[in-house]
Amino acid sequence: HLAAADGVLQQAAAAIDERRAGGQDGARWALRVRAVVADSCEAVLTAVEHDLGPGPQVADPGYAAALADLRLYLRQHHAERDVVALGRMVAAAGASW
């Protein structure tokens, strides 16, 4: 998951550096990066919670607060709704994107 997030961030950075990320292309890149990174974060959080169990969430207020903040931040990504929007944008752009 972390490799996927790293890969999409590197691809987006290259598109920006090569001036291929303006306008609608930029909007597609933004949705793509957010979707991949949000999915990666969700997967890592799930793995960490499975590994650690509930202990840190109930016994460590700092950890619990940081976890709650991170989950709230991730909820700003609109999940399936943003993925559908990305799919529509890619379909409208055609095979060139």
Side-chain angles (χ1 to χ4, degrees), residues 15-93:
I16 291 167
D17 290 346
E18 295 165 8
R19 304 208 187 292
R20 296 182 290 111
Q24 282 298 104
D25 286 340
R28 284 188 294 271
W29 275 112
L31 283 175
R32 181 177 177 201
V33 167
R34 274 187 259 167
V36 172
V37 171
D39 284 348
S40 297
C41 288
E42 294 280 355
V44 170
L45 280 172
T46 298
V48 168
E49 289 176 330
H50 287 186
D51 184 52
L52 296 178
Q57 292 181 49
V58 297
D60 184 342
Y63 176 86
L67 183 62
D69 288 346
L70 180 55
R71 289 207 174 275
L72 180 61
Y73 179 78
L74 288 172
R75 288 294 52 86
Q76 293 178 49
H77 170 65
H78 299 109
E80 289 80 7
R81 185 174 66 192
D82 283 354
V83 172
V84 168
L86 175 59
R88 288 183 177 140
M89 292 171 88
V90 170

